Structure formats: structure tokens, C-alpha cells
Amino acid sequence: MKQPYLRMPHVESGMTVGLFGGSFNPPHDGHGLVAEIALRRLHLDQLWWMVTPGNPLKSRSNLAPLAERIALSERIAHNPRIKVTAFELSLGQSYTARTLEKIRERNRDIHFVWIMGADNLKDFHRWQNWQTIARTFPIAVIDRPGATLAYLSSKMAKTFDYARIDEDDAGTLALRKAPAWTFIHGPRSALSSTALRAKSE
């Protein structure tokens, strides 16, 4: 594992940065589309493509090596503002709430947004300390096939309904105090890591 991937990317004071985390097993053009939509609609200076050691809610039996997932992610993340990183490995744990707290501790003058695909929203309440996550950084939920309407019934959407901002104001999300979130519609890709793994087996 190359050392640069184990460090948080370099940022300058006042930047707006999107945090796009996942196991990316494997990464695909659907992930790339979410990243590009987030960069554009949220007016981000950078997007950290955070390849995690593993998802605590998923089996690791079919998880590709971290170095392989990083290399594949680099092939998809063409935009120079997208920084592929695996610094979560150096933190020694893989729970998002704790990772975000470490990010905030080390980057007090950076404006962060947590980015997630709408397909993850239905299970978001199963994540460890999910309400803490929502209160740490603003959240941008990017539309994914089959998830456009399902997000309305998610526990997260109901719990933080009062904190939702209009999609037209997405460009201001990074500068808002959490909890704050929005749902962003846009082009969607039907690709999924699960389907791609099944196809390769």
C-alpha cells in the first residue's frame, strides 16, 4: 500500500470538500457519476473518494484486496478534483461516525459534506451512531435507480425531515451547519457492485 493513500488529501483553508466513502467492490461508472454530480451540484473544491477497509454491515468473504480497489477507483476517478484515498486504514477502524470525527478534528477550517447514494439511505439507520453522522456534517443524497421514492420512507429522512433543504440550494449545503441534507436528482446509472461481482464469478 503506497503511503500517500494512507494520509488525508491536502486541503487549503476554507475549501469545500465532499466525502464519498464505500467499499467500492468493485468501483464502477455509477460511482463515478455520483462523484461528478456531487462536484458540480454541491460546488465542491475537492471530493475524497474514500475506499474503506470493509463495511461492518457486509461480509468480507468476497471483498477484493484494498490495493486492487484503489487501483480500479483511480481508473474511474478522472477528474483531478477527485482524490482517491484509503486513510481510514491508518485510523485502525471502519465506523463512519468515528472517521468523520477524526476528519473534523484534523480539518477545523474545511467545509465538508458527506455524500451517499440514495440506495444506501434505506439502511442508514443501521449504521453505528447514524444520528451522530447526520449531526457531524451536512449530507447530500444522490439519486440512484430504484431509490428515488424509497428514500421518502427511510428512517433518516423522517427523523431529519426538518433539516432537509431544497435541492435548488444544494450549492450552499457545505456551508450549512449540520444537521442539514438534500436529495439531488440527476442522471442515473444502473450499474451496481453486487451485480458486477456476480457477473465475474
Side-chain angles (χ1 to χ4, degrees):
M1 180 68 59
K2 295 181 179 179
Q3 284 300 315
Y5 289 114
L6 300 181
R7 296 193 295 267
M8 292 185 193
H10 175 74
V11 287
E12 300 289 345
S13 178
M15 276 187 168
T16 54
V17 178
L19 303 172
F20 184 34
S23 49
F24 300 108
N25 186 43
H28 52 70
D29 287 340
H31 294 132
L33 184 59
V34 167
E36 290 291 345
I37 291 172
L39 277 169
R40 184 175 69 254
R41 298 290 299 277
L42 298 173
H43 300 167
L44 300 175
D45 295 307
Q46 283 186 15
L47 181 140
W48 294 1
W49 183 298
M50 296 161 48
V51 185
T52 67
N55 185 332
L57 295 178
K58 296 180 180 179
S59 169
R60 298 195 181 198
S61 61
N62 59 358
L63 188 64
L66 183 58
E68 179 181 323
R69 289 180 282 130
I70 289 173
L72 292 172
S73 294
E74 287 282 19
R75 296 180 192 174
I76 294 170
H78 303 302
N79 193 312
R81 287 187 291 158
I82 299 176
K83 312 297 181 182
V84 176
T85 178
F87 69 83
E88 197 169 24
L89 181 65
S90 66
L91 300 180
Q93 58 83 42
S94 56
Y95 288 102
T96 300
R98 292 169 63 188
T99 296
L100 298 190
E101 184 56 37
K102 291 291 185 182
I103 292 172
R104 183 166 63 177
E105 286 176 4
R106 301 181 189 182
N107 303 275
R108 291 289 184 183
D109 55 353
I110 305 299
H111 305 288
F112 289 103
V113 178
W114 178 252
I115 296 162
M116 59 193 300
D119 51 329
N120 287 318
L121 201 58
K122 68 180 184 301
D123 291 324
F124 186 61
H125 64 280
R126 296 178 57 209
W127 294 21
Q128 185 183 68
N129 298 328
W130 67 277
Q131 294 197 36
T132 299
I133 296 172
R135 292 188 173 97
T136 302
F137 294 135
I139 297 174
V141 182
I142 312 296
D143 201 3
R144 289 281 288 147
T148 305
L149 298 177
Y151 83 93
L152 290 171
S153 61
S154 72
K155 190 169 183 178
M156 184 276 191
K158 291 180 178 179
T159 301
F160 291 99
D161 179 66
Y162 69 93
R164 183 182 177 188
I165 70 167
D166 192 273
E167 182 178 354
D168 290 340
D169 296 321
T172 69
L173 185 63
L175 303 179
R176 293 174 181 261
K177 184 178 179 179
W181 69 283
T182 193
F183 188 95
I184 297 177
H185 297 81
R188 294 177 296 173
S189 168
L191 291 171
S192 80
S193 295
T194 303
L196 290 173
R197 285 198 306 273
K199 190 174 182 180
S200 65
E201 290 176 354

